[in-house]
Amino acid sequence: MKIAVDAMGGDYAPGPIVIGACQAATEIKGEIILVGDENEIAKVTPPAGLPKNVSVRHCTEVIGMDEKPTEAIRKKKDSSLVVAARLVKEGEADALVSAGNTGAATAASLIAWRQIPGIHRPAIATVFPTKHGRFLLLDAGASPDVEPHHMVEFAHMGIAYAQRVMGKKNATAHLLNIGEEPGKGNQFAKTAYELLSQESWFAGNIEGKDLFRKKIDVVVCDAFVGNILLKACEGVAEFILDEIKGSVPGWPARALFLPMRGALRPLKQKMDYAEYGGSPLLGLNGICIIGHGRSNARAIHNAVLNAAHSVEAKLVSTIQESVAHLGEKVTTS
């Protein structure tokens, strides 16, 4: 198993990318390829050097976080992201990890690998913490303009990931909506509900207020709604943690609150995006884990482990089998 890591992608690259990849190298049964400028990578390499199972693939260009995805991919053929996607296409790597430009990562993967037969749109699947564990939301940012039947495809992919990677047996899927009743929502939601209702694993609509308090496995929506939800939740989580910190008085009164630190640590860990590493881009003939642009070393470490687990679980072939009946192969997005 070989995992290509976009060493130049991210707000703080390549430092945390290289450190996180090196940390993950000791925990995977395989190799890691750091794709990027070898001189820049050398500057942030740990004093002990790279682990034996970590190598560098030199390239000269970087796609910025604010660049237009398709244009950047077309012009920067020797960028770390494009080269990493090419390694997977040519069989030199089994998965790609990037904390860089999300749109560019999606476009580069789509162009290099194409969709799985039966899938019309790729979807970013993001793990959310809940009172009962974790659930998977898709699409969190890949395909904002979709049709109702794409929700069925998203649900199939989400269930495959939930079962094979997250260990959720007999997973079910919900449709994110403004109410639980079948007739709720706009025409898009109503049509999607009708299509999803034909599947035995469909568990109905779910409202936003119930996402974090009910026991659920997979939730589907379009990327416009999903990305708004994702960023709103990130903001609320940071707000709550900041408010807790701000409510603690200064010394010496703060000493009275020290016993609470241990009790709050699991909450902080549960709400920290770095614990989940990155989100898989599902629906393509390859594995791509997309990390947050501000990913620290721990986030990259977990993203690489996520990629390794997805490879070991044979995620792509599992999704291929799951959606084989949905339709003929589509070669354009």
Side-chain angles (χ1 to χ4, degrees):
M1 176 172 59
K2 294 184 179 181
I3 299 174
V5 177
D6 174 14
M8 311 307 292
D11 296 337
Y12 310 112
I17 313 300
V18 173
I19 295 173
C22 289
Q23 292 173 347
T26 63
E27 300 179 41
I28 68 168
K29 297 178 180 179
E31 301 176 28
I32 295 175
I33 305 171
L34 293 172
V35 185
D37 188 315
E38 57 185 5
N39 295 321
E40 294 300 316
I41 292 175
K43 293 178 183 178
V44 295
T45 296
L50 296 175
K52 292 182 178 179
N53 60 336
V54 177
S55 61
V56 177
R57 178 64 63 91
H58 177 65
C59 55
T60 60
E61 297 177 306
V62 178
I63 293 179
M65 300 295 281
D66 59 345
E67 292 190 62
K68 295 182 179 179
T70 305
E71 182 178 333
I73 291 170
R74 185 177 69 253
K75 291 182 177 179
K76 296 184 174 181
K77 300 294 185 181
D78 197 43
S79 64
S80 56
L81 180 55
V82 173
V83 172
R86 190 187 308 142
L87 291 178
V88 176
K89 177 183 179 180
E90 297 174 352
E92 294 186 54
D94 300 291
L96 160 65
V97 173
S98 177
N101 186 312
T102 298
T106 301
S109 300
L110 176 61
I111 292 172
W113 313 335
R114 312 310 300 171
Q115 295 105 317
I116 288 174
I119 297 296
H120 295 71
R121 295 287 188 274
I124 294 176
T126 298
V127 174
F128 282 78
T130 74
K131 180 180 180 181
H132 301 281
R134 301 180 299 166
F135 77 89
L136 190 72
L137 175 86
L138 64 166
D139 181 12
S143 303
D145 298 310
V146 293
E147 300 295 332
H149 66 89
H150 295 140
M151 296 299 100
V152 179
E153 298 173 9
F154 289 177
H156 271 282
M157 295 190 294
I159 287 177
Y161 186 87
Q163 293 183 160
R164 293 300 297 270
V165 179
M166 299 173 68
K168 289 179 173 287
K169 296 181 179 180
N170 301 316
T172 60
H174 288 80
L175 174 67
L176 184 61
N177 207 336
I178 60 173
E180 293 184 353
E181 298 81 5
K184 288 289 186 176
N186 53 19
Q187 190 56 50
F188 177 94
K190 293 176 182 177
T191 303
Y193 185 96
E194 292 178 4
L195 295 173
L196 286 165
S197 295
Q198 300 174 27
E199 305 290 345
S200 61
W201 38 252
F202 181 54
N205 290 325
I206 189 167
E207 298 181 50
K209 66 180 177 63
D210 292 324
L211 289 176
F212 303 97
R213 64 184 184 184
K214 287 189 174 182
K215 189 175 183 179
I216 56 178
D217 302 313
V218 177
V219 176
V220 296
C221 61
D222 65 77
F224 184 81
V225 172
N227 195 254
I228 290 176
L229 174 65
L230 172 63
K231 292 177 178 177
C233 289
E234 288 179 347
V236 170
E238 292 180 359
F239 168 75
I240 292 174
L241 293 175
D242 288 343
E243 285 295 298
I244 291 175
K245 290 179 182 178
S247 65
V248 178
W251 295 100
R254 181 174 296 182
L256 298 174
F257 288 81
L258 289 179
M260 292 182 58
R261 294 180 63 181
L264 291 174
R265 189 173 294 113
L267 172 63
K268 181 179 180 182
Q269 188 177 42
K270 197 173 187 179
M271 298 173 70
D272 188 356
Y273 75 92
E275 284 297 311
Y276 306 94
S279 301
L281 176 64
L282 304 180
L284 304 179
N285 291 299
I287 293 172
C288 176
I289 304 297
I290 298 177
H292 202 295
R294 57 178 179 173
S295 290
N296 55 26
R298 184 156 57 93
I300 296 300
H301 166 259
N302 288 329
V304 173
L305 296 184
N306 192 355
H309 194 181
S310 297
V311 173
E312 293 169 347
K314 299 181 179 179
L315 179 61
V316 173
S317 61
T318 298
I319 293 177
Q320 289 172 340
E321 294 171 3
S322 177
V323 303
H325 68 287
L326 291 181
E328 62 182 12
K329 183 176 181 180
V330 177
T331 56
T332 57
S333 60

